Amino acid sequence: MFIKKHFRLFLLALLWCVAGTAVAQLAPSERKDDDRTLSPYFFVKSDDASVEQLPLQSTQVAARIAGPIADVTVTQTYANRGSKPIEATYVFPASTRAAVHGMKMTIGERVVEAKIEKRETARQQYEQARQEGRSASLLEQQRPNVFQMSLANIMPGDVVKVELRYNELIVPEDGIYAFVYPTVVGPRYSNKPLDQATPDDQWVANPTLRQGVAPTSTLDIQVDLATGVPVRDVACGTHKTSIAFDGPASAHVKLAPEEAQGGNRDFVLRYRLAGDAVQSGLLLYQGQGANYFLLTAQPPRRVVPAAIPGREYVFIVDISGSMHGFPLDTSKALLRDLIGGLRPTDRFNVLLFSGGSAALAEQSLPATPENLRKAIAVIEQQRGGGGTELLPAFKRALSLKTQPGVSRTVVIVTDGYVTVEEEVFDLIRDNLNHTNVFPFGIGSSVNRHLMEGMARVGMGEPFIVTRPEQAAAQAERFRKMIASPVLTGVQVAFNGFDAYDVEPAKVPDLLADRPLVVFGKWRGVPQGRIQVRGQSGQGAYQQVLNVGQHAPSASASALPYLWARHRIALLSDYNSLKKSDQRVEEVTQLGLQHHLLTAYTSFVAVDSAVRNAGGEAAKVQQPLPMPQGVSDLAVGNLQTRMSLGVVASASAPAAPMLAPAPVTAAKITYAADVFFAANSATLSAADKRKLDELLAKIKSIKVEVIIVVGHADPREPAAKAQKLSEQRAAAVRDYLVSQGIEAQRIYIEGKGAKQPVAGCPSTTPAKERAACERDSGAKNRRAEIEVVGN
C-alpha cells in the first residue's frame, strides 16, 4: 500500500471535522486525564479580560557578522495588560549551532544579569522566586534547537525585556554564506500520555494559532555585514528587506516594516564574497583560562574532471522490516539515480543489511554498465524484513579493500530505526581521514536525531527524504556535493604551534567550495606553522599558515563559546545513543565554565524585590503561529491515538476545545489498488471484481472512512495528468456508492503524476526500454483505496 500513514490519518481527521461523522463530543474537563496525550492544541482566547493572554509583544534581532562569526542579540519584550499577575511561558526555536552565552532581564529601570546554573538548580531558584512573589526569568534548552522562556510574577502594567546573546559560526556551501534566524517551532507529535509526561516534555503541549492567522507579536531583524573583503549578491528570499551598502565590504540589512508579522517562517539571508572567494585564515583568542584558535582553509579551486582523485562509493542499504514499502521503494529509486550516475572510472559496492549483511562483491567493482545493472537487479529484489544491525555492516564496509589515493565515500541509507552502538560513531570519527560518511534518512518519520548525529560526527550533512517525489532532487543534491573531491587523505599538522583539544581529531576529504574548519586550543607563544596536506588528482597538495603572522584578537572572543558548543554537540550525539554519567557531567561543566545554555545548564535571573505577595499568578502559554504553508491538520497525533484505540485531542484548561470521545473498538484497515488504461478513467470488469471482493471483506465492520487517491503516469499528458488522477478516484467512489456505500464516508483526491511507484532506470538497455516503460506505466495509472473501520 503506497499511501503514507500520516497522510491517511490526516484525511481521517479532516473527515471527522467536515463530514459530520456521528461521534459524541466531550470537553477536556469531561474527559478522563488518562485519555489525553502530550500534544499541541489550538489556541482559544479566554473571555477573562483580567488575564493577559498574549504577553509576548515583540522580538528584536540585531546580528553583526564579522568574517565567519555571527554575534547575535535577541530582545524579547513581554507586557501584562491585564489586571492580574501572570506567569508567562514561551517556546521558541534557535539554530543548532547557536552558542547562547548571556541573558539579562530588565523591568522598568531594574536590570538583572542572569546566572548560569545546573538545570535543576536554576529551576529551583526560579520556583522559589515565583512562590515568594519576586519577578524572575528562566531560559531552558528543551531540544538542541528548541528553547523555553519562563517569566514569573509579571505584574499588571509591567513591561519586561529579556535579552539573549549568542554566537554562531557561518560555514559556506558552494561559496554561498547563509545567516538563518529561526522564528517558529512547528507542532510536535507525542504519543506519551499526559499523566506520564516529565516536566522536560511539557513544552510539546503548546497552544498554536490556526492556519493563516498572523503571529500575535511583532518581529524586527537588523543584520550588519562586515566581511573584510568585498561582498556581493546579498539577498533575502524569505522576507522583504532593505539592503544598504556602507562600502565594498560592509552592508546593513533591515526587515521591511510590512514584515512585522513575519514571524511564521525562518529568516534566511544569503550572500557571496567577490570572486566567489571563501574566507580562510587563522583566528586566535587569548583568554584567562585557555587560548583558542579557529582555522578555516579554502581547498584548491574546482579542478577539471580528469584531475579529480579516484572515487569509490559504498552504499550500505537498510532492508529491515521497518523499511518495507515506501522507504525501501524510495531507497531503490534513490540508488538507481546514484549508481546510474557514476563515471566509468569510479568504483562502487552495495552492502545490504538487516540482522546480517551481504555485499555485492568482496571488493568494489568498476562502474561498468554490466556491473551497474547487476547492482540494480540485486537492489530491486529486496522486499524488507528482519531486524536491524548497522554496526556489523559498517565494519564490513570499512574492511573492504580499497586503493591508495582514492576518495572513498560510504552512503548509509536507512529510516534510522536501527540498533546503533556508540562504536558506530567512534568508527565514523576514527576513519574520517580515509572514509567520508553521508547518512540518507528515508521514511515518513525518519529518526532525524540519529541521522544528524552521524552527519555531525562525520563532518558532513544528513539527507532526508520523507516523500517519494523528493528522492530525485536529494540524489542530485548529494551527487553535486560529492562530485568533486579536491583533496583526499587530508592531514593537519602543527609544527612549533602547541595545539591541543583539536576538533575534529581527523579530517574528512575536502569537497569543492567547502572550506576546512578546525577548532582547538593552544598554549604558550603563538608561533610556528600549520600545514594542511592532502592528495589531489594532480598530486600532493600543501597549504601552510604562519601562526606568527596572526596576532591574538579581542574581536575573536566568540571562539571559546564556539569551541565548547562544538564539543557539547558531539557529546550530546553520543548521549543520544546511550546516556553516560561521565558525558553528562562533562557537558554540564562545559556549560558552567563557558557560561553556555545546554541540556543540563540553564540561565536564571531573579529580582530581589518582592512584588507579588503570596505568589498567586495566572499561568499563560504564549501561542505559537502555525508555520507558513503548514495546515491545521498538523496539530494532533491521530496516528498514535488510533493505534491505541483512543481518538481524543489533547488540550489545556486555558484553551478549551471539543474533541471526539474515546473509541475503544480496535481499528481495522483494508487496502486495494485498481489500475487503468492509458488516458482512461474507466474501471475494467476485473477492477470491479476487485472492488466487489473488497466490499465483501468490509461487510462485517463499521466503516468510518474510505480514502481513494488517484494517480497518473508521468508519461501521460502533463496538462491532463491531474484531471485523470481525479477522474480515476471519482470512478472508484461512484462504483462504491452504487454498491451501497454512503458517499459522505468516501474521501477522494487526485495526485496527478507526482507519486509514481515505478520507472525505468537510465541504465535500461534500449531494446528493453519499451517493455519497461509499458510495465511501469501500467503500475502508475492507479487508484489506491484504503478502508478504515472498527
Side-chain angles (χ1 to χ4, degrees):
M1 190 61 207
F2 302 104
I3 301 177
K4 292 184 291 183
K5 287 183 178 179
H6 284 304
F7 172 71
R8 178 178 70 228
L9 295 164
F10 283 165
L11 293 182
L12 181 57
L14 181 63
L15 284 180
W16 268 319
C17 295
V18 301
T21 305
V23 180
Q25 304 289 303
L26 290 179
S29 59
E30 297 172 295
R31 295 200 316 266
K32 296 180 180 179
D33 285 345
D34 56 7
D35 288 337
R36 295 173 54 193
T37 60
L38 189 70
S39 301
Y41 57 93
F42 287 120
F43 173 74
V44 178
K45 191 171 183 178
S46 169
D47 293 332
D48 187 354
S50 66
V51 176
E52 172 56 60
Q53 298 289 312
L54 305 167
L56 180 65
Q57 303 295 293
S58 65
T59 298
Q60 295 175 299
V61 181
R64 178 172 176 79
I65 302 174
I69 298 174
D71 185 4
V72 184
T73 301
V74 180
T75 304
Q76 298 170 350
T77 300
Y78 299 84
N80 183 357
R81 296 170 299 186
S83 57
K84 294 181 179 178
I86 62 172
E87 178 187 13
T89 304
Y90 173 49
V91 174
F92 61 100
S95 165
T96 54
R97 295 192 298 264
V100 182
H101 58 81
M103 184 180 99
K104 69 179 180 181
M105 175 179 69
T106 302
I107 307 174
E109 297 182 354
R110 297 190 305 282
V111 178
V112 182
E113 291 286 345
K115 300 181 296 180
I116 192 74
E117 299 280 5
K118 290 184 178 181
R119 184 173 181 130
E120 298 80 3
T121 303
R123 170 57 70 174
Q124 290 169 1
Q125 291 179 2
Y126 171 84
E127 291 295 341
Q128 181 177 346
R130 180 183 63 79
Q131 294 169 8
E132 293 174 350
R134 292 182 288 162
S135 296
S137 58
L138 175 69
L139 178 63
E140 298 171 298
Q141 176 182 304
Q142 304 294 11
R143 295 292 185 273
N145 60 342
V146 178
F147 300 159
Q148 177 174 292
M149 180 69 71
S150 302
L151 295 100
N153 294 313
I154 306 178
M155 304 303 290
D158 274 356
V159 174
V160 181
K161 293 187 177 182
V162 180
E163 181 181 290
L164 312 177
R165 289 281 303 274
Y166 72 84
N167 291 110
E168 182 174 350
L169 183 67
I170 301 179
V171 179
E173 291 184 18
D174 291 332
I176 300 175
Y177 291 80
F179 169 70
V180 180
Y181 180 77
T183 65
V184 63
V185 176
R188 298 298 204 270
Y189 304 113
S190 175
N191 62 356
K192 185 175 293 185
L194 192 61
D195 59 354
Q196 297 178 19
T198 67
D200 293 346
D201 294 326
Q202 296 291 342
W203 69 272
V204 174
N206 204 84
T208 300
L209 300 177
R210 293 276 183 175
Q211 178 185 359
V213 176
T216 59
S217 63
T218 60
L219 175 69
D220 179 59
I221 299 178
Q222 299 189 46
V223 181
D224 286 310
L225 287 174
T227 56
V229 296
V231 62
R232 66 182 181 88
D233 296 340
V234 181
C236 178
T238 59
H239 294 73
K240 294 179 181 178
T241 57
S242 61
I243 301 174
F245 287 88
D246 303 322
S250 60
H252 180 73
V253 182
K254 182 175 174 56
L255 198 66
E258 58 266 36
E259 292 281 19
Q261 257 65 46
N264 60 352
R265 59 198 186 277
D266 293 350
F267 174 89
V268 183
L269 179 71
R270 291 186 169 89
Y271 59 96
R272 292 179 186 267
L273 303 183
D276 288 337
V278 173
Q279 288 177 327
S280 60
L282 182 66
L283 287 177
L284 299 174
Y285 178 72
Q286 205 159 16
Q288 293 183 347
N291 307 320
Y292 298 83
F293 74 87
L294 170 65
L295 169 67
T296 52
Q298 182 176 341
R301 299 301 299 169
R302 193 182 301 271
V303 295
V304 295
I308 292 175
R311 306 185 306 181
E312 178 188 8
Y313 300 97
V314 180
F315 300 93
I316 302 178
V317 185
D318 182 356
I319 57 169
S320 63
S322 64
M323 291 288 287
H324 179 75
F326 150 64
L328 189 55
D329 292 337
T330 305
S331 298
K332 294 175 184 177
L334 173 73
L335 290 166
R336 282 196 300 266
D337 275 348
L338 292 177
I339 294 174
L342 297 180
R343 303 180 306 181
T345 54
D346 295 332
R347 301 180 71 85
F348 79 101
N349 210 334
V350 176
L351 204 153
L352 307 174
F353 78 97
S354 53
S357 64
L360 179 66
E362 289 306 312
Q363 184 172 332
S364 290
L365 303 172
T368 63
E370 181 182 353
N371 286 334
L372 294 175
R373 283 196 297 271
K374 179 181 176 182
I376 291 171
V378 170
I379 294 166
E380 289 286 3
Q381 293 170 7
Q382 305 309 313
R383 294 294 177 265
T388 316
E389 294 288 343
L390 176 59
L391 179 58
F394 190 42
K395 283 183 174 178
R396 185 170 182 180
L398 292 174
S399 68
L400 294 173
K401 295 180 180 179
T402 189
Q403 298 176 342
V406 169
S407 175
R408 170 183 273 189
T409 296
V410 171
V411 181
I412 300 174
V413 183
T414 177
D415 56 7
Y417 294 100
V418 297
T419 304
V420 178
E421 295 86 349
E422 297 166 84
E423 194 174 352
V424 170
F425 278 14
D426 289 338
L427 284 172
I428 295 174
R429 186 171 164 82
D430 293 343
N431 286 277
L432 274 179
N433 55 337
H434 54 76
T435 301
N436 310 303
V437 178
F438 288 90
F440 254 93
I442 296 181
S444 59
S445 184
V446 173
N447 184 349
R448 288 176 180 266
H449 197 71
L450 175 62
M451 296 292 104
E452 292 169 357
M454 285 196 291
R456 269 193 294 270
V457 171
M459 301 298 291
E461 64 177 276
F463 293 78
I464 306 295
V465 179
T466 59
R467 300 191 304 273
E469 61 269 22
Q470 295 175 332
Q474 287 288 58
E476 181 57 32
R477 175 170 164 255
F478 173 74
R479 186 162 39 233
K480 180 181 177 183
M481 175 178 292
I482 66 172
S484 300
V486 293
L487 278 186
T488 189
V490 182
Q491 293 182 332
V492 179
F494 302 95
N495 300 316
F497 179 57
D498 190 4
Y500 66 103
D501 283 350
V502 176
E503 291 288 348
K506 294 183 179 179
V507 180
D509 290 351
L510 289 187
L511 307 176
D513 291 328
R514 284 176 63 91
L516 168 69
V517 178
V518 178
F519 291 99
K521 299 178 182 178
W522 55 276
R523 304 182 186 93
V525 179
Q527 61 184 12
R529 298 188 305 167
I530 302 176
Q531 291 179 313
V532 179
R533 298 192 297 264
Q535 191 75 21
S536 76
Q538 298 171 315
Y541 172 86
Q542 178 174 280
Q543 184 177 348
V544 179
L545 286 89
N546 189 330
V547 177
Q549 295 177 355
H550 300 78
S553 171
S555 63
S557 59
L559 293 188
Y561 305 131
L562 297 176
W563 176 87
R565 189 70 188 88
H566 179 87
R567 179 69 183 162
I568 288 167
L570 182 66
L571 292 168
S572 299
D573 287 333
Y574 272 87
N575 262 347
S576 70
L577 300 181
K578 182 181 179 181
K579 185 168 287 188
S580 157
D581 291 341
Q582 182 179 348
R583 282 195 294 263
V584 169
E585 179 60 23
E586 186 174 351
V587 171
T588 303
Q589 291 306 315
L590 283 168
L592 294 175
Q593 291 167 11
H594 291 84
H595 217 246
L596 286 177
L597 181 71
T598 72
Y600 309 108
T601 54
S602 303
F603 281 103
V604 60
V606 177
D607 193 5
S608 59
V610 175
R611 310 178 63 231
N612 181 27
E616 293 295 327
K619 293 187 177 182
V620 176
Q621 287 181 286
Q622 174 71 28
L624 298 173
M626 187 70 74
Q628 188 179 65
V630 176
S631 162
D632 280 348
L633 294 176
V635 172
N637 189 2
L638 285 168
Q639 178 180 357
T640 303
R641 273 170 265 166
M642 283 182 62
S643 68
L644 295 173
V646 176
V647 183
S649 181
S651 61
M657 61 178 293
L658 298 179
V663 178
T664 56
K667 295 296 172 187
I668 300 173
T669 62
Y670 291 94
D673 297 333
V674 295
F675 301 92
F676 297 82
N679 298 314
S680 170
T682 302
L683 286 169
S684 67
D687 286 329
K688 290 180 180 179
R689 286 195 296 273
K690 188 179 292 187
L691 292 175
D692 289 339
E693 292 172 1
L694 176 64
L695 290 169
K697 292 178 181 177
I698 66 175
K699 279 185 177 179
S700 60
I701 71 169
K702 179 181 178 182
V703 174
E704 290 182 348
V705 62
I706 299 177
I707 303 165
V708 185
V709 182
H711 299 271
D713 182 57
R715 282 176 290 278
E716 292 184 293
K720 194 177 180 182
Q722 180 63 35
K723 188 174 182 180
L724 273 172
S725 68
E726 294 170 359
Q727 290 172 338
R728 287 164 180 165
V732 173
R733 177 199 58 198
D734 293 345
Y735 184 79
L736 295 176
V737 170
S738 73
Q739 301 303 305
I741 299 295
E742 298 175 17
Q744 67 266 28
R745 297 202 178 270
I746 304 175
Y747 177 89
I748 67 171
E749 183 178 5
K751 287 292 187 181
K754 299 174 185 176
Q755 296 181 358
V757 294
C760 294
S762 57
T763 54
T764 304
K767 62 181 180 181
E768 300 175 11
R769 179 162 289 278
C772 177
E773 290 181 350
R774 183 174 59 253
D775 292 343
S776 63
K779 295 176 182 177
N780 291 327
R781 297 187 299 269
R782 70 197 190 281
E784 300 169 341
I785 306 103
E786 186 156 8
V787 181
V788 180
N790 56 59

